[in-house]
Amino acid sequence: MMINLSDGQSVEIATIGRDGVVGASAALHERPLLADAIVVVPGSASMVRAEDFREAADRSADFRTLVALYEQALMAQTQQSVACNVSHPVEARLSRWLLRARDLCGSEALPLTQEMLAQMIGVRRNAVSIVAHGFQQAGILRYSRGHIEITDIDGLRKAACECYATVKAHAEQLIGPED
């Protein structure tokens, strides 16, 4: 999920993948989605008409509860992302984002450009390039144009700030552990 600023800059506010839903709250209340949803990594997804989503929520209290808990987890992630982007160094933010992307993709190989990563964590591309080079020198990752491979997950976790673990813990507390 991205927010676009008037100067043309965009920044990630939440990352949704195989574990989530885009636009659930907007669909339930027939309101527009207030952020842009962009696809960063190729994969498959399912779409449900907003009307069908609302009907499912009307029929099932368990479904409504799960949607509400997911929305809480998404809000916690958004809040943590904002705090992270203003408080933590680029190395920690990039590590957090790569760990989250790994979780959502289920793979150490990520088809991401440095430009996209820079946009996700709200920095210039050269900042990502410098950090990625340092991580490559340390054996934490390998990268080439449009492709990043995490080679040392423990090293990446050590480089990350507490935000990755905090978001993961909130989600597990609210909606349960990832499969």
Side-chain angles (χ1 to χ4, degrees), residues 108-137:
E108 275 74 21
L110 304 169
L112 300 167
T113 64
Q114 290 181 6
E115 184 67 38
M116 178 57 68
L117 289 169
Q119 189 175 20
M120 293 297 113
I121 63 172
V123 298
R124 298 193 190 286
R125 194 193 70 73
N126 66 335
V128 169
S129 180
I130 291 166
V131 171
H133 180 74
F135 282 174
Q136 185 163 275
Q137 295 294 99

Side-chain angles (χ1 to χ4, degrees), residues 67-90:
V67 169
L69 291 172
Y70 176 76
E71 288 292 312
Q72 271 189 283
L74 188 60
M75 178 58 78
Q77 182 190 159
T78 301
Q79 292 167 341
Q80 197 73 41
S81 180
V82 169
C84 185
N85 284 343
V86 299
S87 301
H88 296 137
V90 174

Side-chain angles (χ1 to χ4, degrees), residues 43-177:
S44 60
S46 298
M47 288 180 36
V48 176
R49 292 180 332 135
E51 180 179 307
D52 294 337
F53 192 84
R54 281 191 299 277
E55 286 176 11
D58 288 344
R59 285 191 310 268
S60 172
D62 288 343
F63 182 74
R64 281 192 311 277
T65 298
L66 185 58
V67 169
L69 291 172
Y70 176 76
E71 288 292 312
Q72 271 189 283
L74 188 60
M75 178 58 78
Q77 182 190 159
T78 301
Q79 292 167 341
Q80 197 73 41
S81 180
V82 169
C84 185
N85 284 343
V86 299
S87 301
H88 296 137
V90 174
E91 295 84 356
R93 290 160 41 197
L94 180 60
S95 298
R96 168 189 59 90
W97 206 90
L98 289 172
L99 288 166
R100 178 75 175 139
R102 175 189 173 269
D103 290 349
L104 297 176
C105 294
S107 174
E108 275 74 21
L110 304 169
L112 300 167
T113 64
Q114 290 181 6
E115 184 67 38
M116 178 57 68
L117 289 169
Q119 189 175 20
M120 293 297 113
I121 63 172
V123 298
R124 298 193 190 286
R125 194 193 70 73
N126 66 335
V128 169
S129 180
I130 291 166
V131 171
H133 180 74
F135 282 174
Q136 185 163 275
Q137 295 294 99
I140 294 172
L141 56 83
R142 270 194 301 268
Y143 68 91
S144 59
R145 185 162 180 78
H147 179 81
I148 293 180
E149 182 180 355
I150 300 168
T151 54
D152 179 3
I153 190 69
D154 291 331
L156 194 61
R157 284 186 182 122
K158 287 177 187 168
C161 53
E162 76 270 10
C163 296
Y164 169 73
T166 299
V167 166
K168 193 172 182 88
H170 286 316
E172 287 179 358
Q173 179 185 15
L174 290 166
I175 56 179

Side-chain angles (χ1 to χ4, degrees), residues 2-22:
M2 304 288 291
I3 293 292
N4 297 311
L5 304 174
S6 62
D7 67 358
Q9 185 179 358
S10 297
V11 68
E12 174 259 354
I13 57 168
T15 307
I16 300 169
R18 61 188 181 155
D19 69 340
V21 177
V22 174

